[in-house]
Amino acid sequence: MRRSYFAVVVFLGLLAALHAWIGWQLLPALSTHAGAIAAGALVLLLSVLLMPVALMAPYLKRRGLSETWSDRLAWAGMLAMGAFSSALLLTLLRALALAALPWLSLSAIQQHEMVASTAWLVLALTVAATVIGLLNARRTAAVVDVSVPIRDLPPQLEGFTIVQISDIHVGPTIKAPYLQAIVDKVNALQPDVVAITGDLVDGSVRQLAAHTAPLAQLRARHGAYFVTGNHEYYSNAHEWIDEVRRLGLTVLMNEHVVLHHEGAGLVLAGVTDYTAHQFDPSHRSDPHAAIANAPEEGPRILLAHQPRTAAIAAEAGFDLQLSGHTHGGQFFPWNFFVPLQQPYVAGLKRLQSLWVYVSRGTGYWGPPKRLLAPSEITRLRLTAR
């Protein structure tokens, strides 16, 4: 418990220090008026306070805060988090650029103008990134078409379509209308299979059941299938597994089904999240168990939330793995950090004889912000080589 409190104190102290550094770098350059500097400092203070409050919103709701106010605090804090991320990066870049001023042949007046103009540029770019990122995140994901060549694909399965959605993160800022728009767009594609590759929710069944209800309307020729992501385990995965089944979806937990399409067979398997065993040892992810006793004929497709399942999936003999988890980085510069944990960030990749497709996600997590990593509803078509 003491370690937890210490970690919280360190986090809050670091957050406050970084905000103070941004203020120290920018506010004097933006204005010499004491009132304007005080207003800027107040904005930074509110940001420091709102971010941890946003993370605590679910706890505050359980303690009696109304859903309306809990969601408002979450929205304000998450927007502040997204703006802070851009402001910190841009302020750092500005500081590095200004460090080169002594080596430039500029007059004192020109240097002063450069200090002021770059501060205003940081402010303008932070606002632009926050607004554009918000619009990108809140729009309904676009359809991305992907063709996957499968060796020895039966002719009957040529053009077989799997529509993948992933990482929706229904929670404080994503509600039923957002999910309903996704469901409507998926149904309009008339897929053969719908695959949901984890991180559907951020919150309990009690809090979010009304907002995940649109999933019951998903329609596909051979049904809709779901595998758990790490965020399900943060939100009581056992309850969510039951709820998803109640909505009419098939949950694949280290198991497979055989789909018969126009006289040909296709094996569709699913595993629990890569880290599931840390929450429940009986849920350990196991691609080998998922494919055990499956027919040898026809393509073998695996649903696995995290791309790093791919190495074991290749060993197990799968032809295609569908994953999510990465969000494609969601917004710059986090796309550069994803490879530190995952072998693939987004798109169709090859590992030995295994194709791996990584969705950038259909929703978003945390800040309602997407930059250079648009959300997607993926329509994958199987084709012969």
Side-chain angles (χ1 to χ4, degrees):
M1 186 65 72
R2 288 182 178 178
R3 287 184 179 181
S4 298
Y5 284 131
F6 178 74
V8 170
V9 170
V10 170
F11 168 74
L12 293 177
L14 180 61
L15 189 64
L18 290 173
H19 277 80
W21 181 76
I22 291 173
W24 176 63
Q25 288 286 321
L26 297 184
L27 294 181
L30 291 171
S31 176
T32 57
H33 192 279
I37 293 176
L42 179 60
V43 171
L44 290 169
L45 177 60
L46 284 173
S47 176
V48 172
L49 296 175
L50 282 171
M51 277 192 264
V53 168
L55 297 175
M56 292 173 59
Y59 170 78
L60 296 174
K61 188 185 296 185
R62 291 196 299 271
R63 300 293 293 179
L65 185 68
S66 70
E67 181 175 357
T68 299
W69 276 105
S70 174
D71 289 348
R72 285 175 179 173
L73 287 173
W75 263 105
M78 293 302 176
L79 284 170
M81 190 180 298
F84 165 72
S85 178
S86 293
L88 180 62
L89 175 65
L90 291 166
T91 302
L92 176 60
L93 293 176
R94 172 182 177 270
L96 293 174
L98 292 181
L101 283 182
W103 284 271
L104 301 178
S105 300
L106 298 176
S107 67
I109 294 177
Q110 288 174 321
Q111 290 191 31
H112 177 76
E113 290 176 347
M114 184 71 71
V115 168
S117 62
T118 54
W120 281 106
L121 180 62
V122 166
L123 182 61
L125 290 177
T126 296
V127 172
T130 302
V131 173
I132 294 171
L134 173 64
L135 295 175
N136 287 339
R138 293 300 298 177
R139 69 175 180 86
T140 303
V143 176
V144 173
D145 283 300
V146 179
S147 293
V148 184
I150 302 294
R151 183 178 56 188
D152 300 325
L153 183 73
Q156 301 95 316
L157 294 176
E158 180 70 35
F160 186 94
T161 59
I162 303 170
V163 171
Q164 178 192 10
I165 55 179
S166 190
D167 301 273
I168 300 172
H169 291 281
V170 175
T173 65
I174 293 181
K175 301 295 187 180
Y178 190 103
L179 182 57
Q180 184 67 60
I182 293 170
V183 168
D184 292 343
K185 203 162 187 175
V186 168
N187 287 343
L189 298 176
Q190 298 181 323
D192 292 312
V193 163
V194 172
I196 305 176
T197 49
D199 280 8
L200 171 65
V201 294
D202 278 309
S204 69
V205 171
R206 181 178 62 84
Q207 294 170 338
L208 298 176
H211 298 290
T212 55
L215 290 177
Q217 302 170 30
L218 282 171
R219 297 291 179 265
R221 180 172 178 176
H222 297 289
Y225 299 83
F226 173 82
V227 293
T228 56
N230 53 306
H231 280 250
E232 272 71 59
Y233 288 93
Y234 304 154
S235 306
N236 195 330
H238 298 86
E239 288 188 357
W240 275 114
I241 289 166
D242 291 341
E243 177 64 12
V244 169
R245 285 173 174 157
R246 188 188 69 80
L247 292 171
L249 283 70
T250 299
V251 182
L252 296 173
M253 300 182 64
N254 300 324
E255 57 191 329
H256 69 267
V257 294
V258 179
L259 306 180
H260 298 282
H261 183 85
E262 305 291 345
L266 178 148
V267 176
L268 181 67
V271 291
T272 50
D273 181 64
Y274 190 88
T275 62
H277 63 281
Q278 297 175 10
F279 303 87
D280 184 340
S282 69
H283 281 207
R284 181 178 291 275
S285 184
D286 190 343
H288 288 281
I291 200 66
N293 302 316
E296 294 294 333
E297 300 78 20
R300 296 178 165 201
I301 299 170
L302 178 67
L303 310 183
H305 177 62
Q306 298 197 37
R308 55 182 169 171
T309 297
I312 304 175
E315 292 177 4
F318 285 97
D319 298 298
L320 170 63
Q321 175 181 310
L322 304 183
S323 297
H325 185 67
T326 68
H327 298 213
Q330 191 161 316
F331 58 89
F332 179 86
W334 300 111
N335 51 306
F336 294 114
F337 292 95
V338 174
L340 299 177
Q341 189 205 36
Q342 299 293 332
Y344 311 112
V345 178
L348 188 64
K349 308 297 180 182
R350 187 74 164 168
L351 177 64
Q352 300 170 25
S353 60
L354 174 72
W355 287 108
V356 182
Y357 186 81
V358 183
S359 167
R360 292 187 300 261
T362 315
Y364 57 85
W365 179 81
K369 184 175 185 178
R370 276 191 175 272
L371 288 173
L372 305 179
S375 56
E376 64 179 86
I377 295 169
T378 317
R379 177 167 53 187
L380 299 111
R381 287 189 174 90
L382 306 186
T383 65
R385 289 190 171 187

